[in-house]
Amino acid sequence: MESAAENPRNARLRLSPLAYRRVCLFGVWALGFIIVTGAAVRLTGSGLGCPDWPTCERNQVVAPWQYHAVIEFGNRVVTGAVSLAIVAAVLGSSVRRPRRRDLTWLSWGLVGGLIAQIVLGGESVRHNLAPPFIMAHFMLSLVLLFNAVVLYHRAGFDDAPPDARGRVRPRGPVTPLVPAEHLIMGRLLVVSAAVAIFLGTVVTSTGPHGGDPKARRLELSLHRVAQFHSAAVLLFLGLTVLTLWRMVRVGAPAEVMRRGELLLILLLLQGGVGYLQYFSGVPTWMVAIHVTLAASLWAVTVQFALGLTTRPDSRPAVTPATAPATAGALDADAVLAPAKA
Ligand code: HEM
């Protein structure tokens, strides 16, 4: 590897592991934020505010000064900002020193997801916000957020010295912080969160907030699908309580328990908002809180499962301002910091 002295261009383009980790954290924020702005488009009935794509209206890229057009266009601008965050994650992974292939691959995963989201967004408009497109659009945004949280998590691991082929991997073996069956419980929580969230999108696609009066609704009983959604939530809650109780019994490390507590608090908060909104006719502002908490809960659940293993010699955590809804309210460090050995 040429040193900075040998190649001044290298000096300019280097990123330290800590700086790259901050770039990854910005990606987590940006991908969480766009879930909220996307919901704002739906909840204000602005889904077809820009009838065309990628232009807003025929050859007009910028939206006319109309309420729905400006909101939809605003969300497209946020997509631009998210795209920049993802480009930064990819470029950053190539100038991070030392360079790590796992981080490069994960950052390219974000690019693939973003392209799929942009195409799906365009198809959603072309199909007048038909429920399957909107549901897939929401679920894909959670896959992107999952990718971003994993990238941020792995960027927190120390680097091993390069191997014989000059490749750098995370330092040390993966070390479980809890017994194997508890690791499985952690993964089960991610699956049960995904099921609860998917059923939430079914409720939304059956309910009144379709994003535009022209958007057709699923012909299901709103009461029935809300029952399935809340039943999945109760299963998620039961599994979370069982997992945390068993973690206490095996003396799991403090930061594992801290993340578990945050997960439980968010889950109870989200459940409360869910019932409140359901029994008060799903007011748009409450649904916006529900979606924001759903995105936060997803990031925290994924981080909880990731935090059940560690790699020795992990670098000190970056203390992030993290998940949109929880920043400042709770111990930010407990949210997205990798577990230390
Ligand atoms: C862990 C707890 C929960 C999570 C993670 C969650 C997640 C979600 C998600 C992701 C959506 C779809 C949002 C969208 O498509 O934009 C949703 C919608 C909804 N959820 Fe939940 N939910 C939870 C608890 C509940 C509970 C306990 C109820 C009570 C019945 C509930 C009622 C609803 C309703 C009525 C909607 C439709 C809102 C609309 O019309 O847009 N949720 N939920």
Side-chain angles (χ1 to χ4, degrees):
M1 171 83 211
E2 285 176 312
S3 72
E6 289 145 3
N7 180 343
R9 207 167 58 78
N10 277 347
R12 260 198 320 280
L13 292 178
R14 281 169 177 232
L15 261 190
S16 73
L18 201 56
Y20 181 66
R21 186 143 201 258
R22 291 211 163 95
V23 170
C24 298
L25 180 64
F26 179 62
V28 173
W29 265 96
L31 286 161
F33 185 61
I34 198 165
I35 295 175
V36 180
T37 57
V41 170
R42 179 174 66 78
L43 293 167
T44 54
S46 311
L48 296 177
C50 288
D52 293 321
W53 188 85
T55 56
C56 184
E57 211 170 88
R58 283 185 290 281
N59 303 331
Q60 235 184 310
V61 174
V62 177
W65 195 242
Q66 291 150 8
Y67 175 67
H68 292 308
V70 168
I71 291 185
E72 166 61 7
F73 183 71
N75 189 47
R76 292 186 185 187
V77 171
V78 172
T79 306
V82 169
S83 308
L84 287 179
I86 291 176
V87 169
V90 174
L91 289 182
S93 75
S94 64
V95 296
R96 178 190 185 273
R97 290 294 174 269
R99 194 169 165 181
R100 279 216 337 244
R101 287 157 64 93
D102 61 326
L103 302 178
T104 304
W105 279 115
L106 280 166
S107 61
W108 277 105
L110 294 177
V111 175
L114 177 71
I115 294 169
Q117 271 296 50
I118 292 174
V119 172
L120 202 48
E123 287 307 309
S124 305
V125 171
R126 268 168 22 83
H127 291 84
N128 284 332
L129 310 180
F133 289 93
I134 300 300
M135 290 163 66
H137 203 32
F138 191 94
M139 294 311 287
L140 186 54
S141 63
L142 295 182
V143 173
L144 268 163
L145 188 54
F146 178 93
N147 188 145
V149 172
V150 174
L151 175 62
Y152 171 75
H153 183 76
R154 291 186 70 88
F157 289 138
D158 206 357
D159 308 307
D163 64 14
R165 294 167 68 186
R167 289 187 177 162
V168 176
R169 290 181 172 75
R171 179 192 294 275
V174 176
T175 310
L177 293 168
V178 291
E181 64 272 20
H182 296 66
L183 291 182
I184 296 169
M185 297 284 290
R187 293 184 193 130
L188 263 182
L189 292 187
V190 175
V191 174
S192 62
V195 171
I197 287 170
F198 172 72
L199 289 171
T201 65
V202 176
V203 182
T204 292
S205 299
T206 311
H209 306 302
D212 188 275
K214 282 204 292 290
R216 74 176 166 79
R217 307 283 74 220
L218 291 178
E219 283 159 19
L220 300 167
S221 140
L222 183 60
H223 179 64
R224 177 68 63 200
V225 289
Q227 279 182 325
F228 280 121
H229 178 43
S230 62
V233 167
L234 292 174
L235 177 69
F236 179 24
L237 177 62
L239 275 173
T240 302
V241 171
L242 178 65
T243 304
L244 295 183
W245 177 69
R246 296 190 66 193
M247 297 244 176
V248 169
R249 286 171 59 91
V250 294
E255 46 219 303
V256 168
M257 293 317 297
R258 239 177 351 159
R259 284 199 206 99
E261 284 154 22
L262 176 64
L263 167 53
L264 185 59
I265 292 168
L266 269 181
L267 214 169
L268 292 171
L269 198 59
Q270 173 70 331
V273 170
Y275 284 113
L276 204 60
Q277 70 167 6
Y278 179 67
F279 291 112
S280 52
V282 282
T284 50
W285 64 273
M286 237 186 247
V287 178
I289 295 174
H290 199 59
V291 174
T292 308
L293 285 173
S296 312
L297 188 59
W298 175 246
V300 164
T301 308
V302 172
Q303 180 55 14
F304 175 76
L306 290 170
L308 298 178
T309 60
T310 187
R311 287 175 183 259
D313 306 329
S314 283
R315 200 176 290 105
V318 176
T319 49
T322 51
T326 55
L330 300 149
D331 179 354
D333 186 37
V335 177
L336 279 175
K340 287 195 220 82

